[in-house]
Amino acid sequence: MEAAGGGGGAPAAAPGRARPPQPQTQTQTPAQPKARELFRNQRKESEGSVDCPNLEFEYGDADGHGAELAELYSYTEEPELSHNRRCFEEDFHTQVPGRRWLELDGAQQKAYVMRLLDGLEVVNRDKRLKVARAILYLAQGVFGDCDNEGDVLHWSRHNSFLLYRLGTFSAFLELLNMEIENSQACSSALRKPAISLADSTELRVLLSVMYLMVENIRVEQETDPPEWKSCRETFRMELSFPVHTEEPFALLLFTMVTKFCSGHAPHFPMKKVLLLLWKVLLFTLGGFEALQAMKVRRREELGLPPLPEDSIQVVRSMRAASPPTYSIELMEQQQQQQQQQQKGGHRSRRPLVKQDSLDIYNERDPFKNDEGGVDEEENDDVDSGIEGELDLMERDTIIPPMPPQRLPMERVSFPKGLPWAPKVRQKDIEHFLEASRNKFIGFTLGQDTETLIGLPRPIHESVKTLKQHKYVSISDVQIKNEEELEKCPMSLGEEEVQETPCEVLYRAMLYNLPQYMIALLKILLAAAPTSKAKTDSINILADVLPEEMPITVLQSMKLGIDVNRHKEIIVKSISASLLLLLKHFKLNHIYQFEYVSQHLVFANCIPLILKFFNQNIMSYITAKNSISVLDYPHCTVCDLPELTAESLEAGDNNQFCWRNLFSCINLLRILNKLTKWKHSRTMMLVVFKSAPILKRALKVKQAMMQLYVLKLLKIQTKYLGRQWRKSNMKTMSAIYQKVRHRMNDDWAYGNDIDARPWDFQAEECTLRANIEAFNSRRYDGPRDSEFAPVDNCLQSVLGQRLELPRGFRGSYELWLEREVFSQPIRWEELLHCQ
């Protein structure tokens, strides 16, 4: 257990100082059971169970369709489902008596929906809300007429396509704009001491309809008819390239987030806003597989060689490694073995044994002989009080023996070789040749990587190998093009910028982007499980708290589960949105990505993510903050059983919580993107003591999560010192086996770190200057430039059409008299100008 988690680990015994085993006795000092109990409790509280099973988790763009729809509603909103049904049936039975919605043909359904849309035009607010609830019931799948969950989901999709074709989304967008600008609702919410569900009723209905339409239309299924596919593309274009307004729909949602965080609209239902924002970004920009296809296509356009492998497939084929075993757990296991052997009369004098794992190829660890009994736990940050207790235990206990026979382990056959092809950057080749020339010749040739005269034969072979694995990224090409455009603005002319959905979104977000990033991180901080309630923090529970607070224990438990689930969904949507933005902006242009990244770093995103992981991560991933019988659509078609405290505590039977594991992987990927190739940000990881926090996350046996943890550990390994590396050889071995190799990267040694001082502030300032130059060149309005060509042709200048004011003709003679005839001609000034 690391110090960041509040625990302490056993100090490692030095190789030459191991004490011989003492004679075994049956007596114990009074302090010994007390110390054991202390360590047992500490482990349970801070680390959780070590026996984490392999998690059968498949990472993707989103969870299953039904699960994503269920997360839209909180459990306190459950009574509103039947309210929506009543609003629909009261109107439907008066218009179409004796019929059911499922019995109507397409023309009759269209006619009824058109009549409902006409009802949205009324002035009366209550009548408008009633019609909106009826439309929401249609989008929810007319569950009153369905027999099972599959029928509800089918009719929800069917009705969503029908509603979109008849212009429902545009109508609801106008209503949403009206509600956002509703100053009366904002001032009323600001005056209230406690905000509840009732304050956001209209907004929740509107956002729910829009979310259901986006999510149902976004998801593709093989059985979709052709008209649905064309409808999907039209909807995507409408959200990406707005026609009537000058901003994409995602920007309106970003504006709602910033308005909520500024305190001007505390009644906004943030969970629904953030879920809708995430799904709009996913729909318009594309998911992870679409990103991979775009990356392949962009490399072809730039004339770059194809990718060495499909990263999505490589990660999916990885196997999870066993987590490091901590000293306290080893001690307890060995004490159990000792007790078993005492009963059998066996005694052994073998020393403390280490774990065999984090070796995913079932081979003997090459570093095992070099460890010298040093414990896996790092020893820099242990608490002194716990250290004293551990010393007491060492004096009073026997070093436990090994069992006479090891249980047979199931061997799994893995493919030979490492999972990733190694990569080399152009800079790596240049640095290698510079060092080689300095050593063997005594001078350098700058960036020349072709001339090898005077260098020994092994250097030739090394350069050849480096060039074979050279990888040129899209970002490298973009940076080079940007440098050329800055140097030669006249000769290269205007840059051709593709009008992609990502480009449109960046241009719209540009001038308020820092506020958007700060607002998202504020909400993420408020929703993190490690955050403590503060009076000045924003209230993200406005759309989950009921008007009347619970009075029974059962109601309190239900609300507690609902609040925790609410926070988990917010973390999930923010982490997924940020990751999508970073990945798409990086593909679109590297400086767009760097602009977003830098503002995230300036807003303390790195310590925020580390704070998020500084918790019992196993408990978070296996949390059961859900009541499956209350989830949509199950609660609409099934009779609800009577809830009891025992059933609420039991939760579901899932091995892990999908959304929480998804969120953890997203946050780790964001942290990787922010710190990759940035020495100043890598040092932030070191300064904030992220190594013990990240190492604890390796206890989760899921390959993708372990991969991104190991990547973060790899980039800071050289800064952690030799003792850390010596104490964590199993983790070093896992990095070697799982993370891509960069040739000439001395991540495992770092001997010359002290000789390479980094000016961290200058690094960020240089990057910021490049970003500002890019934004200024591409997005600032046309301005007079000293490089603008001068038109010297008299006929051309006089032939230009000028826009004259409306009243110019009436005052033309007066202007001519004042500005021309009454002004003397100064011919000498013309001579001076020449």
Side-chain angles (χ1 to χ4, degrees), residues 583-601:
K583 288 186 75 68
H584 277 281
F585 284 152
K586 187 174 184 181
L587 183 60
N588 200 51
H589 199 287
I590 182 62
Y591 283 137
Q592 295 176 352
F593 161 79
E594 296 290 6
Y595 188 53
V596 177
S597 298
Q598 200 163 59
H599 281 292
L600 285 172
V601 172

Side-chain angles (χ1 to χ4, degrees), residues 138 268 404-405 619 768:
L138 284 175
F268 281 2
Q405 292 181 348
S619 295
R768 189 170 190 175

Side-chain angles (χ1 to χ4, degrees), residues 24 337-349 401-404:
Q24 191 165 349
Q337 294 166 2
Q338 172 189 339
Q339 292 171 2
Q340 290 174 1
Q341 290 182 359
Q342 285 174 2
K343 294 177 182 177
H346 296 289
R347 185 175 301 170
S348 172
R349 293 178 177 267
M402 275 290 290

Side-chain angles (χ1 to χ4, degrees), residues 238-250:
E238 181 183 327
L239 293 174
S240 307
F241 305 101
V243 179
H244 304 296
T245 60
E246 295 182 356
E247 58 184 27
F249 178 57

